[in-house]
Amino acid sequence: MIPAQFNYEAPSTIDEAVNLLAANPDDAKILAGGHSLLPAMKLRLAQPAMLIDIGRIKDLSYIREDGDQILVGAMTTHYQLESSTLLQKICPLLPACAAHIGDVQVRNKGTIGGSVAHSDPAGDWPAAVIALGAEMIAVGKSGERAIKADDFFVDLLSTALGAGEILREIRIPKPNGRFGHAYEKVRHPASGFAVVGVAVALQRGSNSICDSAAVGITGVASKVYRAGSVEKALQGNQLDEQTIAAAASRATDGVDANSDLYASEDYRRHLAQVYTRRALLAASARAV
Ligand SMILES: Cc1cc2nc3c(=O)[nH]c(=O)nc-3n(C[C@H](O)[C@H](O)[C@H](O)COP(=O)(O)OP(=O)(O)OC[C@H]3O[C@@H](n4cnc5c(N)ncnc54)[C@H](O)[C@@H]3O)c2cc1C
């Protein structure tokens, strides 16, 4: 339970952090809240030679409105998102998702940037950010680039961030019109991580027709995914119980579901369908 030896740097600007990372691309790691990285280091699953602590960089922790977008700094903690009155009003999926993460201590230290950069297959944020159509803003030596959430999560613990890139910000389109959001989750009883977590963002048009639906599912496969078959089954159709039940039954179409000591593949598929239905019903009821 003792990590291998490492050097520690605490830059005060993002440029300094980028330079440190560029100088040590293979053996340095960014340290955010440390609630995924430090346990991995203690188990010697990760042995970085250098930690670049971005916790002292000013202005990496914020929640702001900017035109038709919501900007969230990478170092914003789960608790800050959970307790934001602005988000409760304009994008309630974010506080709802944050409230499901771990316990109070984890939510006080863990960050949204650390969670999405880690791409844990049972992490909660990845489901919410893909359902909301977010963009990840990465910064490296050659400047900034935006990566769509759909392209960001590459595989188990692997993202589209390059070796020298730092995730600086998450940009979320501001929901408008008759939108409804929900996050429904089965927690692992020991860790709190998602055995199955389903994030839904939908828009209701006239006559109760579903104008758009986005469904992000975590915990089921090696990485978070958009449940495309569910979304297609809803779009342009009435948001009634029958349509929602039929759509939810397709939650794991085309997906290789995980199996472990706690939940078999079949059980996970079943949970994904049940919790997708619940999340769709809740989101639909809110989209008034
Ligand atoms: C007991 C316990 C229970 C938990 N329960 C849950 C749960 O229910 N749901 C859930 O989703 N999570 C859970 N977590 C994980 C928690 O949410 C972590 O905080 C989160 O996954 C990682 O965020 P962090 O800020 O701690 O990142 P760190 O641990 O500091 O970093 C994680 C990884 O991301 C990289 N990284 C961090 N920030 C950046 C950045 N800005 N740019 C580039 N790379 C970066 C690091 O180098 C590292 O590889 C739990 C953790 C613990 C210890």
Side-chain angles (χ1 to χ4, degrees):
M1 295 301 278
I2 297 175
Q5 209 172 0
F6 58 88
N7 292 324
Y8 174 84
E9 298 282 350
S12 53
T13 66
I14 192 92
D15 287 348
E16 242 181 274
V18 165
N19 286 335
L20 279 164
L21 196 55
N24 305 275
D26 300 325
D27 51 12
K29 275 219 162 271
I30 298 296
L31 175 68
H35 270 54
S36 290
L37 182 55
L38 295 183
M41 287 171 64
K42 287 181 174 181
L43 293 168
R44 306 251 172 150
L45 296 171
Q47 300 192 23
M50 177 187 287
L51 286 188
I52 303 170
D53 183 351
I54 57 172
R56 300 197 195 163
I57 299 177
K58 287 206 180 79
D59 205 28
L60 272 186
S61 167
Y62 52 84
I63 299 164
R64 296 184 194 131
E65 276 183 280
D66 184 24
D68 56 3
Q69 289 188 314
I70 301 162
L71 313 183
V72 179
M75 284 299 289
T76 309
T77 63
H78 309 319
Y79 177 72
Q80 285 170 315
L81 286 140
E82 179 188 3
S83 59
S84 162
T85 46
L86 173 69
L87 293 180
Q88 300 280 1
K89 210 167 69 192
I90 64 172
C91 190
L93 180 54
L94 293 171
C97 178
H100 279 275
I101 297 175
D103 52 29
V104 175
Q105 187 186 354
V106 173
R107 295 199 289 276
N108 273 332
K109 285 299 286 181
T111 66
I112 186 169
S115 173
V116 297
H118 193 53
S119 186
D120 191 303
D124 292 293
W125 283 125
V129 297
I130 64 165
L132 288 167
E135 273 185 343
M136 313 296 169
I137 307 301
V139 55
K141 277 293 247 190
S142 48
E144 281 200 352
R145 66 182 180 119
I147 308 165
K148 287 191 167 40
D150 280 344
D151 303 325
F152 186 79
F153 301 100
V154 175
D155 206 345
L156 180 92
L157 307 182
S158 160
T159 70
L161 282 176
E165 284 184 318
I166 298 176
L167 178 64
R168 189 181 67 73
E169 184 176 86
I170 294 129
R171 292 188 186 154
I172 296 144
K174 222 192 273 179
N176 55 36
R178 298 166 75 193
F179 73 87
H181 290 171
Y183 187 64
E184 293 284 336
K185 171 181 177 183
V186 183
R187 289 168 67 88
H188 189 284
S191 68
F193 274 100
V195 178
V196 166
V198 183
V200 169
L202 58 76
Q203 204 115 28
R204 189 191 288 271
S206 54
N207 299 327
S208 219
I209 298 287
C210 175
D211 273 356
S212 72
V215 180
I217 301 188
T218 187
V220 172
S222 61
K223 64 168 186 134
V224 67
Y225 64 92
R226 284 273 296 266
S229 306
V230 177
E231 296 172 1
K232 275 198 205 97
L234 291 167
Q235 244 137 31
N237 289 318
Q238 287 281 331
L239 280 170
D240 56 37
E241 281 191 30
Q242 272 164 324
T243 309
I244 285 176
S249 70
R250 313 196 59 181
T252 58
D253 278 11
V255 170
D256 282 332
N258 292 334
S259 179
D260 57 30
L261 275 177
Y262 184 70
S264 67
E265 178 182 338
D266 283 350
Y267 182 48
R268 266 203 168 77
R269 286 189 193 279
H270 173 71
L271 288 177
Q273 292 172 17
V274 171
Y275 278 75
T276 299
R277 183 164 163 269
R278 286 188 186 180
L280 288 171
L281 285 170
S284 161
R286 288 170 191 147
V288 287

